[in-house]
Amino acid sequence: MRIEAVDLFCGVGGLTAGLIKSGINVKAGYDIAEECLFAYEFNNKASFINKDVAQVTADEILSWYSADSIKLLAGCAPCQPFSTYNQGKDTTKDKKWPLLYHFSRLIKDVNPELITMENVPEVIRHKVYDDFINHLEEQGYVITAQEIACVDYGVPQTRRRHVLLASKIGKISLIQATHSEPVTVRDVISKLEPLSAGQGSLNDLLHTSSNLSPINLQRIKCSKPGGTWRDWPIELRAECHKKDSGKSYPSVYGRMEWDKPAPTMTTLCYGFGNGRFGHPQQDRAISLREAALFQTFPENYQFVEPQKKISFKGVGRMIGNAVPVRLGEIIGLSFIQALDNFG
């Protein structure tokens, strides 16, 4: 029983790469971010269509599937409207907000046998999610959905996600946790070439660390793995941290710990001041390659064309927005094992 997939909101290809690794044939990915085209196609050998999902038709999606395949439609819509950061804000005018409705439209018109959707856990608090579930049930899908700790499946970071699987073939659940012990920072990056702040490797251009200002270099030298800016001398503390309103943000300007998972990778994961993104030992923020490894991209995954200048902001956005490859693999294995059991 051959599964073929189309990946909506595919980005740089984290979910696609994971599905391919599990044995699923991903035919195409759709995304509005044109800068993801090279990485998606080069690494995954699948077609990238630079198009707003709102403009995509069912006939277009159906054209990718073989006549005898089991159709999987994946739609991991951007999570920003649903994230904790935006709780309490009016996000209804965010252009990303209706994307789940467009996903629902395509599901109804394409009628795939299998569906997956991954997002932040907070997505379930919103009416758009309730509507999405109702639409699936009305169309006869059997749904399983749960919040997971990605570390339980071998992703070396504390990321938690909401994962939905839906099927018209029978009930399909995410496979049981694969890791009783977490994959740690040490496991992932300890053997990489040492760097100084602002330095890059000649062997891997993505293994490059952002520069640090003189005061931030002093700050990271005073930072302890797992500690906070409260470990610094008073004269190094930022003005905002001296105010009551800033005292509740201890995780910024933090170092990772060797024997624990990394924090959740974000689009700003290359910056020392943006979270606990300091290297456990070296006086710098993690490199872009290290961030990609924490997202379980293969070490040879290419994000920009050869000879093209690497943008920390651009590549950081690609990495932070991606579905961890390992999570994509787990989702794919869940579908494949269930279908094998159905016989």
Side-chain angles (χ1 to χ4, degrees), residues 49 53 66 113 147 151 182 187 206 215 221 227 236 244 319 328:
I49 296 84
V53 171
S66 303
E113 289 84 2
E147 179 181 337
V151 71
D187 295 329
L206 207 71
I215 191 170
K221 288 179 177 179
L236 291 182
D244 289 341
I319 294 170

Side-chain angles (χ1 to χ4, degrees), residues 215-233:
I215 191 170
N216 277 343
L217 187 57
Q218 291 182 62
R219 286 166 171 167
I220 198 167
K221 288 179 177 179
C222 293
S223 296
K224 303 173 183 177
T228 74
W229 48 263
R230 297 187 181 111
D231 299 320
W232 303 342

Side-chain angles (χ1 to χ4, degrees), residues 166-278:
S167 166
K168 285 195 170 181
I169 301 172
K171 183 178 180 180
I172 299 178
S173 301
L174 209 64
I175 62 173
Q176 293 295 311
T178 56
H179 287 65
S180 58
E181 296 293 331
V183 180
T184 67
V185 171
R186 188 187 302 276
D187 295 329
V188 176
I189 68 169
S190 63
K191 294 181 181 179
L192 267 65
E193 177 184 347
L195 299 175
S196 300
Q199 183 185 15
S201 169
L202 297 178
N203 300 313
D204 178 4
L205 295 180
L206 207 71
H207 187 36
T208 300
S209 174
S210 57
N211 218 336
L212 289 178
S213 66
I215 191 170
N216 277 343
L217 187 57
Q218 291 182 62
R219 286 166 171 167
I220 198 167
K221 288 179 177 179
C222 293
S223 296
K224 303 173 183 177
T228 74
W229 48 263
R230 297 187 181 111
D231 299 320
W232 303 342
I234 295 294
E235 62 270 19
L236 291 182
R237 296 185 185 182
E239 288 301 317
C240 62
H241 294 150
K242 296 176 184 178
K243 301 175 182 177
D244 289 341
S245 59
K247 292 180 179 178
S248 60
Y249 294 93
S251 62
V252 296
Y253 293 99
R255 279 192 192 268
M256 297 178 187
E257 297 178 75
W258 276 126
D259 297 315
K260 290 185 178 181
T264 299
M265 293 296 106
T266 71
T267 58
L268 298 174
C269 54
Y270 54 85
F272 172 52
N274 297 326
R276 193 171 294 284
F277 300 128

Side-chain angles (χ1 to χ4, degrees), residues 25-278:
N25 181 10
V26 182
K27 305 299 287 288
Y30 284 75
D31 203 285
I32 200 169
E34 186 177 9
E35 63 269 22
C36 294
L37 186 153
F38 167 77
Y40 186 87
E41 293 194 337
F42 178 83
N43 295 285
N44 299 298
K45 305 301 183 281
S47 297
F48 179 94
I49 296 84
N50 179 214
K51 194 171 184 179
D52 187 338
V53 171
Q55 307 303 318
V56 178
T57 66
D59 287 344
E60 187 177 345
I61 298 297
L62 283 165
S63 71
W64 291 107
Y65 297 109
S66 303
D68 59 346
S69 68
I70 294 175
K71 299 184 293 295
L72 167 61
L73 189 58
C76 300
C79 64
Q80 289 89 341
F82 315 115
S83 68
T84 303
Y85 177 78
N86 280 321
Q87 296 301 305
K89 297 182 180 179
D90 179 13
T91 56
T92 57
K93 295 182 178 62
D94 190 321
K95 292 181 179 179
K96 299 183 182 74
W97 186 262
L99 291 176
L100 271 182
Y101 288 115
H102 288 297
F103 188 22
S104 287
R105 169 182 61 83
L106 289 170
I107 290 168
K108 182 178 180 181
D109 295 343
V110 172
N111 194 30
E113 289 84 2
L114 306 174
I115 294 163
T116 186
M117 188 273 285
E118 178 262 14
N119 215 293
V120 292
E122 292 78 14
V123 69
I124 65 173
R125 301 178 185 175
H126 297 269
K127 182 178 183 297
V128 62
Y129 179 80
D130 294 335
D131 291 343
F132 183 73
I133 293 293
N134 291 337
H135 291 164
L136 290 180
E137 290 176 339
E138 289 168 1
Q139 293 163 58
Y141 287 97
V142 180
I143 302 165
T144 63
Q146 64 192 95
E147 179 181 337
I148 66 161
C150 293
V151 71
D152 292 341
Y153 291 93
V155 178
Q157 54 176 303
T158 56
R159 180 182 293 250
R160 300 190 70 87
R161 302 298 281 185
H162 180 80
V163 178
L164 177 148
L165 307 178
S167 166
K168 285 195 170 181
I169 301 172
K171 183 178 180 180
I172 299 178
S173 301
L174 209 64
I175 62 173
Q176 293 295 311
T178 56
H179 287 65
S180 58
E181 296 293 331
V183 180
T184 67
V185 171
R186 188 187 302 276
D187 295 329
V188 176
I189 68 169
S190 63
K191 294 181 181 179
L192 267 65
E193 177 184 347
L195 299 175
S196 300
Q199 183 185 15
S201 169
L202 297 178
N203 300 313
D204 178 4
L205 295 180
L206 207 71
H207 187 36
T208 300
S209 174
S210 57
N211 218 336
L212 289 178
S213 66
I215 191 170
N216 277 343
L217 187 57
Q218 291 182 62
R219 286 166 171 167
I220 198 167
K221 288 179 177 179
C222 293
S223 296
K224 303 173 183 177
T228 74
W229 48 263
R230 297 187 181 111
D231 299 320
W232 303 342
I234 295 294
E235 62 270 19
L236 291 182
R237 296 185 185 182
E239 288 301 317
C240 62
H241 294 150
K242 296 176 184 178
K243 301 175 182 177
D244 289 341
S245 59
K247 292 180 179 178
S248 60
Y249 294 93
S251 62
V252 296
Y253 293 99
R255 279 192 192 268
M256 297 178 187
E257 297 178 75
W258 276 126
D259 297 315
K260 290 185 178 181
T264 299
M265 293 296 106
T266 71
T267 58
L268 298 174
C269 54
Y270 54 85
F272 172 52
N274 297 326
R276 193 171 294 284
F277 300 128

